[in-house]
Amino acid sequence: MTNRLQGKHVLITGASAGFGEACARAFAAHGAHLELWARRLDRLRQLKTELEGKYAIEIGIQKVDVRKREQVHVAAVALFERDWRVDVLVNNAGLASGLAPIYEGDLDDWDAMIDTNVKGLLFVTREILPSMVARDSGHVINVGSVAGSWIYPKGNVYNATKFAVRALTEAMSVDLFGTRVRVSSVDPGAAETEFSVVRFHGDVERAKKAYEGFQPLSAEDVADAVVYVANTPPDVMVTRLVLTPTAQRSPTMIHRKES
Ligand SMILES: NC(=O)c1ccc[n+]([C@@H]2O[C@H](COP(=O)([O-])OP(=O)(O)OC[C@H]3O[C@@H](n4cnc5c(N)ncnc54)[C@H](OP(=O)(O)O)[C@@H]3O)[C@@H](O)[C@H]2O)c1
């Protein structure tokens, strides 16, 4: 496939782990310059050193908590002060926190999910999108989830945030009608990253059980999908790319082999 990403400028949120980190590696391998945001700056530093050692690209890193409006604003201003244009924005930072029936839900978990997955995505988009509209070019890729199309038991607020991401992807797309700014979503099913460890508040054993008896997606599988979407010709817009493990048909249909 033609590489249209060479020399492009890609901003990835949540680049310190999982899909975001894998996206950084995949875009770097295509020769794209990177701006990486997350809260764990030490991890971003390591990634920057590793990728700059391998590829002739520039990598900016910033400690950004996407829930904090002011931090997002300051980071965006710093980016534009470096004359950075964002060709591709990958809105990836997000999490599930807890897994409980809605009548037992933890309010701090709810805040974390709504503030990160919905408001964080909005804060970042609101800072970056105007420059794309002004240039009449650019691409926003939101990382949604199959959880944004199917409700599953105890998924409640996480589901709601990913339904919101789907609504916002459509909303952005509709509002950008008539421009050459593209909007896509990549909606993965079950993938093994730090996602379940975060969901279960650091309980690694419980997290492992989520992937027992089937082959989940890897972070690289999802990064390949994001890169595919970003690399399509400028007159092609992938609206929504859904990918699941072969063993999965929906959040509640996962074929697990008995061990
Ligand atoms: N894994 C799955 O099964 C799956 C399936 C479908 C969709 N998703 C979605 O995919 C996205 C990435 O998840 P993942 O599986 O890669 O999980 P992950 O391995 O836990 O990585 C999540 C990333 O998001 C960042 N992040 C979390 N909260 C943040 C905040 N407030 N500000 C800035 N960065 C933040 C984390 O960095 P710091 O902690 O360093 O800030 C980390 O880099 C999420 O939106 C998730 O909902 C995951």
Side-chain angles (χ1 to χ4, degrees):
M1 202 180 182
T2 312
N3 178 9
R4 299 181 184 85
L5 297 171
Q6 178 86 39
K8 288 277 161 66
H9 291 76
V10 181
L11 165 59
I12 303 169
T13 66
S16 61
F19 303 162
E21 179 184 351
C23 282
R25 292 179 194 284
F27 278 108
H30 282 75
H33 304 297
L34 302 175
E35 170 76 10
L36 308 176
W37 291 359
R39 292 166 301 177
R40 286 171 291 179
L41 195 59
D42 51 329
R43 291 233 195 162
L44 295 181
R45 266 197 211 106
Q46 277 178 22
L47 188 59
K48 173 180 159 74
T49 306
E50 180 202 319
L51 296 178
E52 281 182 341
K54 263 174 136 171
Y55 308 105
I57 56 171
E58 287 162 31
I59 304 181
I61 56 172
Q62 295 197 67
K63 182 179 161 77
V64 180
D65 183 336
V66 296
R67 294 173 299 182
K68 309 267 167 65
R69 212 160 143 169
E70 191 51 32
Q71 279 187 27
V72 173
H73 178 67
V74 167
V77 168
L79 186 64
F80 292 127
E81 273 172 1
R82 285 179 6 232
D83 275 341
W84 229 77
R85 54 181 273 168
V86 181
D87 296 302
V88 181
L89 164 62
V90 183
N91 271 321
N92 163 75
L95 79 166
S97 195
L99 185 70
I102 200 154
Y103 50 85
E104 290 174 1
D106 181 302
L107 299 190
D108 290 334
D109 283 340
W110 291 1
D111 271 345
M113 292 187 280
I114 293 167
D115 290 352
T116 311
N117 302 357
V118 183
K119 293 176 72 180
L121 180 143
L122 282 169
F123 294 158
V124 175
T125 305
R126 184 64 182 84
E127 291 292 339
I128 304 299
L129 200 47
S131 62
M132 291 185 176
V133 173
R135 289 198 324 264
D136 202 23
S137 78
H139 196 164
V140 179
I141 303 176
N142 293 328
V143 177
S145 171
V146 294
S149 298
W150 289 279
I151 299 290
Y152 58 88
K154 303 179 188 171
N156 47 67
V157 175
Y158 180 64
N159 284 125
T161 64
K162 290 298 178 178
F163 270 65
V165 171
R166 186 153 62 92
L168 290 171
T169 301
E170 280 183 37
M172 288 177 203
S173 189
V174 164
D175 286 350
L176 289 162
F177 175 69
T179 76
R180 291 183 58 74
V181 180
R182 298 184 286 171
V183 183
S184 307
S185 83
V186 171
D187 294 0
E192 190 162 8
T193 59
E194 292 177 9
F195 180 82
S196 291
V197 177
V198 171
R199 161 166 260 171
F200 298 126
H201 306 298
D203 185 340
V204 177
E205 285 313 307
R206 193 170 172 204
K208 269 194 205 144
K209 288 203 173 70
Y211 309 109
E212 257 172 25
F214 76 106
Q215 180 61 53
L217 298 172
S218 67
E220 292 70 30
D221 295 328
V222 176
D224 284 349
V226 172
V227 163
Y228 167 78
V229 168
N231 194 39
T232 49
D235 284 301
V236 175
M237 186 169 100
V238 178
T239 305
R240 189 163 170 232
L241 192 158
V242 181
L243 71 161
T244 63
T246 305
Q248 182 178 32
R249 294 293 183 274
S250 76
T252 50
M253 283 182 79
I254 299 182
H255 184 73
R256 295 175 196 263
K257 290 201 182 99
E258 308 265 321
S259 58

